Amino acid sequence: MTLRPGHDEDLPALAALEEEAFGADAWSAATLGELVSAAGRRLLVAERDGEVVGYVLTALAGDFADLLRIAVAASARREGVASMLVDAAVLAAAADGADRMLLEVSEANAGAQAFYRRRGFTEIDRRPGYYRDGSAALVMLRELPAPERMDP
Ligand SMILES: CC(C)(COP(=O)(O)OP(=O)(O)OC[C@H]1O[C@@H](n2cnc3c(N)ncnc32)[C@H](O)[C@@H]1OP(=O)(O)O)[C@@H](O)C(=O)NCCC(=O)NCCS
């Protein structure tokens, strides 16, 4: 498994991951292209045997970073891929000067909530009716280590 920054050439593979993970709410390659090219965005891709099996997209906004999206191919789940992606995104955000990472996750997405809790995120807020299907969003937070205190 290798992690690397994502490029425009990855967008079709990421759109396929989106389709598999989010169905009707999937982002197209065009939408992804716009989102990843905005200021402060970091796109990290996980690759196995030359195939993209996961990705994470974050946005730096001053002293915090937003985790905008994470998805892993169904065939590669529960193997630590998303954990590697989040840990790398956390290190990068801390190196960029962020002291916390925030995200929204649907109250209906129990699997993702369990994953985020396992990665050190805690619920700090709830936004009713946040998603198109009417479900609420949980806002979750992870404090980031200061770069000088991070292990090499
Ligand atoms: C959520 C998601 C990114 C997790 O990816 P993953 O690579 O399977 O996660 P990891 O293997 O790193 O999981 C680490 C730990 O998190 C927890 N976890 C992960 N997925 C879980 C699930 N579906 N149910 C319960 N716990 C889960 C487990 O404790 C797991 O450790 P274990 O496998 O030893 O039990 C993946 O299931 C996915 O792509 N889902 C669809 C897209 C999505 O919902 N994204 C998040 C909202 S934007």
Side-chain angles (χ1 to χ4, degrees):
M1 184 76 57
T2 53
L3 295 189
R4 59 169 177 78
H7 307 292
D8 283 350
E9 304 77 65
D10 296 314
L11 295 178
L14 300 189
L17 279 185
E18 280 280 317
E19 184 70 36
E20 185 184 48
F22 300 109
D25 293 321
W27 291 341
S28 67
T31 300
L32 278 161
E34 285 171 26
L35 290 169
V36 303
S37 59
R41 302 293 158 91
R42 267 189 191 274
L43 174 64
L44 277 173
V45 162
E47 209 170 42
R48 188 168 63 187
D49 301 329
E51 191 187 342
V52 173
V53 293
Y55 85 99
V56 64
L57 177 64
T58 57
L60 187 69
D63 58 359
F64 71 93
D66 264 322
L67 194 161
L68 299 180
R69 202 77 141 177
I70 187 164
V72 170
S75 60
R77 289 183 193 161
R78 305 304 287 264
E79 296 177 25
V81 176
S83 298
M84 285 175 60
L85 285 165
V86 165
D87 290 350
V90 158
L91 284 176
D96 286 340
D99 62 13
R100 60 202 190 280
M101 187 172 280
L102 291 159
L103 61 84
E104 281 112 21
V105 59
S106 169
E107 65 178 350
N109 194 346
Q113 286 173 42
F115 165 72
Y116 290 133
R117 288 202 173 90
R118 182 77 181 267
R119 292 323 302 160
F121 288 85
T122 54
E123 184 183 335
I124 57 163
D125 205 358
R126 189 173 180 279
R127 297 187 177 147
Y130 186 83
Y131 294 101
R132 271 197 305 166
D133 67 359
S135 61
L138 305 184
V139 183
M140 301 186 83
L141 165 80
R142 176 171 160 177
E143 306 280 355
L144 305 187
E148 64 271 20
R149 282 192 282 108
M150 288 191 301
D151 293 331

